[in-house]
Amino acid sequence: MDKVQRLLEHLRPWQAERLDGSARGSGLNAVWKIRTPAGPAILKTFSSRRNPAQTVLTELNHRLGGLTSYTARGRRRTEAANLALWREAGLDVPRLLADPPGLDLALPHLCMEFVEGELLSRRLADERRPLAERDAVLVRFLRAWADRHALADARRDPRLIQEHGSFEHVMVAGDRLVTFDLEVSFRRGRDVRTCIVAEIGGYLRSLFRLLPAPLAGHFFGLVAREYPRREYLEEVPRRLLRNPNPVRRAAHFLDRRLLRKPGKWHKFRVAELLMSELKMR
């Protein structure tokens, strides 16, 4: 019996259903829906996604890059801390829950609120819904998103910025827009504006990765028009395409021209399109 099957056997009393997970490593890095006496809940288990040598190298890369730990226990610790921090700041994230009685799981894990809803990326892609309705949901998200950016900027706290920003990491649940996947974050001390630029770029890139190109282009234009804090949007092309630091500018130029695959929606291509949409000079 492999490790995943052993875990499933252990979770049988809670009727565990795997919702998401990494195929790399042991397969134990996963998100499960479990049934408890209080109702459904999410169980997130943390495990290595790479072999030991790769984990050490990735951990070193995270430390040099100003990111929190990549280890399983480190990601569990970061996610718990970030969920508490975001809730304290008034941001909508899943509530942390106590383990159900008898779980007794040695694997690093968290129990949290099960949010009944639909991924924002899927809502935007759902052509059964009128485009105006999908536009309205995105505009609602953009307002909350800009408010979070402003809060992080005011507090000078990069932990309020998603390290892995994507429209598939937001759940639409009635009037709620719930952000999740906070297991890695920027470390305190990182420049907040740089982190905001990275997150905006990640979300915009995800449009073209998750949606057909014409629809992605439509929502991209909506972001450029309706995101309330234009100064943060303008930072994206300014920092990526017009960086005042000559060394960074040269590195970005080489990265853009030599290392990126043609046609791929990398951060520089997104920055160029955003500069055009914003009609920056």
Side-chain angles (χ1 to χ4, degrees):
M1 185 182 295
D2 65 18
K3 293 179 180 179
V4 175
Q5 288 302 315
R6 284 199 296 271
L7 178 59
L8 275 171
E9 184 65 24
H10 183 86
L11 296 176
R12 180 183 291 181
W14 295 277
Q15 302 172 50
E17 174 188 352
R18 186 183 175 114
L19 301 181
D20 193 17
S22 174
R24 294 182 296 180
S26 65
L28 297 177
N29 202 76
V31 177
W32 312 83
K33 180 181 180 181
I34 59 175
R35 278 75 177 177
T36 75
I42 289 293
L43 174 68
K44 186 170 183 178
T45 53
F46 300 84
S47 181
S48 176
R49 290 179 290 192
R50 301 183 180 184
N51 65 44
Q54 290 174 324
T55 298
V56 169
L57 289 174
T58 304
E59 180 72 5
L60 179 61
N61 185 56
H62 274 223
R63 291 183 180 275
L64 294 175
L67 300 176
T68 54
S69 176
Y70 179 76
T71 66
R73 294 192 183 279
R75 285 183 282 114
R76 186 262 178 212
R77 184 172 56 248
T78 298
E79 181 124 36
N82 282 340
L83 288 171
L85 175 72
W86 283 46
R87 288 192 71 83
E88 177 274 327
L91 302 170
D92 201 346
V93 292
R95 289 180 294 108
L96 283 171
L97 304 175
D99 286 2
L103 183 64
D104 192 26
L105 192 61
L107 192 68
H109 65 279
L110 288 172
C111 282
M112 61 187 83
E113 170 191 12
F114 175 76
V115 178
E116 187 73 60
E118 180 180 27
L119 296 179
L120 179 54
S121 57
R122 291 180 184 169
R123 176 66 62 88
L124 297 179
D126 188 357
E127 295 189 350
R128 296 170 300 176
R129 296 178 180 270
L131 186 58
E133 178 186 318
R134 289 178 278 161
D135 286 350
V137 172
L138 180 56
V139 169
R140 184 157 58 91
F141 166 77
L142 294 176
R143 290 169 181 161
W145 195 33
D147 287 346
R148 174 163 61 82
H149 290 160
L151 178 63
D153 201 8
R155 291 189 176 190
R156 293 290 185 265
D157 194 342
R159 297 173 300 169
L160 296 175
I161 304 299
Q162 279 179 283
E163 180 273 335
H164 187 35
S166 170
F167 283 101
E168 59 188 339
H169 293 156
V170 179
M171 187 75 74
V172 182
D175 292 335
R176 297 178 65 188
L177 292 166
V178 184
T179 305
F180 61 95
D181 193 13
L182 304 177
E183 65 181 48
V184 174
S185 68
F186 300 105
R187 289 184 181 274
R188 298 197 72 170
R190 285 286 300 270
D191 176 67
V192 175
R193 289 289 183 103
T194 299
C195 299
I196 291 172
V197 164
E199 190 195 68
I200 290 174
Y203 269 89
L204 293 178
R205 288 171 63 194
S206 77
L207 285 174
F208 292 95
R209 179 169 53 84
L210 300 169
L211 303 177
L215 192 59
H218 167 79
F219 289 127
F220 191 104
L222 192 65
V223 173
R225 294 191 304 274
E226 298 294 338
Y227 177 86
R229 294 182 179 270
R230 182 185 170 100
E231 67 270 23
Y232 293 145
L233 291 184
E234 290 183 346
E235 287 276 358
V236 177
R238 188 173 292 123
R239 290 190 179 227
L240 291 176
L241 305 176
R242 299 176 175 177
N243 199 299
N245 184 314
V247 175
R248 286 187 177 275
R249 192 164 62 247
H252 288 168
F253 176 82
L254 290 174
D255 193 15
R256 193 159 79 247
R257 299 303 179 195
L258 302 178
L259 305 179
R260 301 288 171 173
K261 295 180 181 178
K264 183 179 176 66
W265 279 98
H266 51 73
K267 59 186 178 182
F268 300 108
R269 188 177 178 190
V270 164
E272 289 165 353
L273 180 57
L274 187 56
M275 185 164 64
S276 175
E277 288 283 346
L278 295 173
K279 297 181 171 54
M280 293 174 61
R281 296 190 178 188

